[in-house]
Amino acid sequence: MERGLKMDKVTVIVFSGEMDKVMAAFNIAIGAASSGMEVTMLFTFWGLNVLRKDKIGSKSKGILQRIFTFLNRGGTENLPMSRFNMFGLGPWMMKLLMKRYSMPGVRQLYSTAKELGVRMIACTITMGVMGLGKEDLVEDVDEFAGVITYIKDAREAKINLFV
Amino acid sequence: MERGLKMDKVTVIVFSGEMDKVMAAFNIAIGAASSGMEVTMLFTFWGLNVLRKDKIGSKSKGILQRIFTFLNRGGTENLPMSRFNMFGLGPWMMKLLMKRYSMPGVRQLYSTAKELGVRMIACTITMGVMGLGKEDLVEDVDEFAGVITYIKDAREAKINLFV
Amino acid sequence: MERGLKMDKVTVIVFSGEMDKVMAAFNIAIGAASSGMEVTMLFTFWGLNVLRKDKIGSKSKGILQRIFTFLNRGGTENLPMSRFNMFGLGPWMMKLLMKRYSMPGVRQLYSTAKELGVRMIACTITMGVMGLGKEDLVEDVDEFAGVITYIKDAREAKINLFV
């Protein structure tokens, strides 16, 4: 997809790492990209879990970060729900229902968004605190950047959301 | 209220079904409509609970959806709080405090918003997964639509929020 | 910092009172102000906790508000986390990690935002329900206002977020 100054822009900050919220964020991003808009998603804090590889090395990390990494499992298939998580029963039930309604899961949504040219940015300010290095994230992240990059994009965008 | 191309637009995605967040969303919508703006609210995921009838039939639904419907009680009077829900004690306390300060509850806010011409859209993408059919929602929903309709509105709106 | 009609505007509604979300809100506000934008933060519901003095008097308040005030501790140093709060262990761990990465805490972020001219508004509609009077909030709140003031700002802003 051609990127130019004349395309209307959209930014979505993905702060939350919960499956349901992340799905909403991707659906908006995909809808906007399908409508010919230029979409940027900025993953920060818990949202970084979406970009995490399923298995991440804990080498060279301190004990606090290891505990945190253990609690805060990432990867598109391991996201909790914002309500009725019930130790994983909720997401399992929702995935079954989604399958029945032919709704794509987070991994599929991510691929579709990438195919449509949605730009994925990992927030460098929060990666450290979340115990994540570049090697812990999936290979096809488009950019590692901070808030100034976001502001530049959002300032000229038609739609800006915080999820 | 007359609707035209020249009115400034507002969109609010109501993703959350918690009483406090929903109240915030309605207060913004009502404030904007009172200021002469054209407001659209898109209810999706847990936000669909706001549009649910108090009693909904569980006929012809699978077991998973019935469990989900049982857990996820809807209706404007049954929304939980995002914090200090305490099995319903929190909302009860907050409702008492709201009464003391003459703050309208969700049902009242919904009516006021409707009177001011706020357009209520139920998200068709998530209704199925939430176990809801059109017959489960209140009669005065203005539209059943998905993300493309939202993007079209949001693209030309002055204020877009995700609650 | 000079304020004029020609500066691009940003509004951030801080609804949530959780440390991580509040930090995200401040980082955006500070980034925007550093980029020469005119930023307004509207603190409402749990977000009002950010503006609370550490100790607040409970004189002349009803029993419900006292219980609520007791549960809902405020002050920039006492905010919980949106996930893994674990009765305060989460925020403690995160603060340690933040220190290691030289990330400023909420109090520091608040001061920096003030220095950059970010306008802080306390939402008068929700102060009562949250059991807060003007005397309970820090002295340097810029304005006490409601949704109409917010709509006026947001309507002409380039970036509007709900956190």
Side-chain angles (χ1 to χ4, degrees), chain C residues 88-112:
Chain C
L89 191 63
W92 175 80
M93 275 172 59
M94 182 162 272
K95 281 175 194 171
L96 279 185
L97 282 169
M98 281 162 56
K99 196 169 274 180
R100 185 177 306 166
Y101 286 91
S102 311
M103 274 180 71
V106 173
R107 184 159 291 174
Q108 178 65 49
L109 289 167
Y110 179 84
S111 304
T112 305

Side-chain angles (χ1 to χ4, degrees), chain A:
Chain A
M1 186 167 287
E2 196 198 348
R3 302 181 80 88
L5 275 173
K6 283 162 202 155
M7 282 173 74
D8 283 348
K9 291 183 182 180
V10 178
T11 72
V12 183
I13 295 181
V14 185
F15 170 94
S16 305
E18 287 131 352
M19 188 177 75
D20 39 356
K21 286 204 170 171
V22 168
M23 281 168 49
F26 275 116
N27 277 319
I28 294 164
I30 289 169
S34 308
S35 306
M37 300 181 83
E38 187 179 317
V39 186
T40 300
M41 298 178 87
L42 175 70
F43 296 85
T44 187
F45 279 96
W46 315 101
L48 285 166
N49 282 342
V50 176
L51 300 181
R52 271 168 71 171
K53 290 177 188 158
D54 287 349
K55 289 255 158 71
I56 70 173
S58 59
K59 57 175 167 48
S60 79
K61 280 184 188 142
I63 180 72
L64 269 177
Q65 272 171 318
R66 273 192 233 177
I67 294 172
F68 207 67
T69 304
F70 172 78
L71 287 169
N72 180 34
R73 284 180 73 194
T76 51
E77 296 308 301
N78 299 317
L79 304 175
M81 265 162 64
S82 70
R83 285 178 66 187
F84 306 119
N85 192 53
M86 303 180 288
F87 302 98
L89 191 62
W92 175 82
M93 276 172 56
M94 181 162 272
K95 281 175 194 170
L96 280 185
L97 283 170
M98 280 161 56
K99 197 169 271 179
R100 185 177 307 166
Y101 286 92
S102 311
M103 274 180 71
V106 173
R107 183 160 291 175
Q108 177 65 49
L109 290 168
Y110 180 84
S111 303
T112 306
K114 283 294 290 183
E115 282 163 25
L116 289 167
V118 173
R119 189 163 57 124
M120 308 288 179
I121 302 185
C123 171
T124 45
I125 306 178
T126 49
M127 280 173 62
V129 170
M130 290 285 132
L132 297 168
K134 288 188 185 184
E135 69 281 3
D136 299 320
L137 304 186
V138 292
E139 311 294 340
D140 55 2
V141 170
D142 293 290
E143 207 174 325
F144 293 88
V147 69
I148 300 300
T149 300
Y150 165 73
I151 293 293
K152 218 168 138 248
D153 283 332
R155 193 170 189 160
E156 44 182 49
K158 298 276 183 184
I159 306 176
N160 296 307
L161 300 172
F162 182 98
V163 175

Side-chain angles (χ1 to χ4, degrees), chain B residues 8 20-21 35 83 101 103, chain C residues 15 46 64-65 80 129 155:
Chain B
D8 283 348
D20 39 355
K21 287 204 170 171
S35 307
R83 285 178 67 187
Y101 286 92
M103 275 181 71
Chain C
F15 169 94
W46 315 101
L64 269 177
Q65 273 171 316
V129 171
R155 193 171 190 160

Side-chain angles (χ1 to χ4, degrees), chain C residues 54-70:
Chain C
D54 287 349
K55 289 257 158 69
I56 71 173
S58 59
K59 55 175 168 51
S60 79
K61 281 183 187 142
I63 179 72
L64 269 177
Q65 273 171 316
R66 274 192 233 177
I67 294 172
F68 208 67
T69 304
F70 173 77

Side-chain angles (χ1 to χ4, degrees), chain C residues 13-154:
Chain C
I13 296 181
V14 185
F15 169 94
S16 305
E18 288 132 351
M19 188 178 75
D20 39 356
K21 286 204 170 170
V22 168
M23 281 168 48
F26 274 116
N27 277 318
I28 294 163
I30 289 169
S34 307
S35 306
M37 300 181 84
E38 188 179 317
V39 186
T40 300
M41 298 178 88
L42 175 70
F43 296 85
T44 187
F45 279 95
W46 315 101
L48 285 166
N49 282 342
V50 175
L51 301 182
R52 271 168 71 171
K53 291 176 188 158
D54 287 349
K55 289 257 158 69
I56 71 173
S58 59
K59 55 175 168 51
S60 79
K61 281 183 187 142
I63 179 72
L64 269 177
Q65 273 171 316
R66 274 192 233 177
I67 294 172
F68 208 67
T69 304
F70 173 77
L71 287 168
N72 179 36
R73 284 179 72 195
T76 51
E77 296 307 301
N78 299 317
L79 305 175
M81 266 163 64
S82 70
R83 284 177 67 187
F84 306 119
N85 191 53
M86 302 181 289
F87 303 98
L89 191 63
W92 175 80
M93 275 172 59
M94 182 162 272
K95 281 175 194 171
L96 279 185
L97 282 169
M98 281 162 56
K99 196 169 274 180
R100 185 177 306 166
Y101 286 91
S102 311
M103 274 180 71
V106 173
R107 184 159 291 174
Q108 178 65 49
L109 289 167
Y110 179 84
S111 304
T112 305
K114 283 295 289 183
E115 281 162 26
L116 289 167
V118 173
R119 189 164 56 125
M120 308 291 179
I121 303 185
C123 170
T124 44
I125 306 178
T126 49
M127 279 173 61
V129 171
M130 288 287 131
L132 297 169
K134 288 188 186 185
E135 69 282 3
D136 299 321
L137 303 187
V138 291
E139 311 294 339
D140 55 1
V141 170
D142 293 290
E143 207 173 326
F144 294 87
V147 69
I148 300 300
T149 301
Y150 165 74
I151 293 293
K152 219 168 137 247
D153 283 332

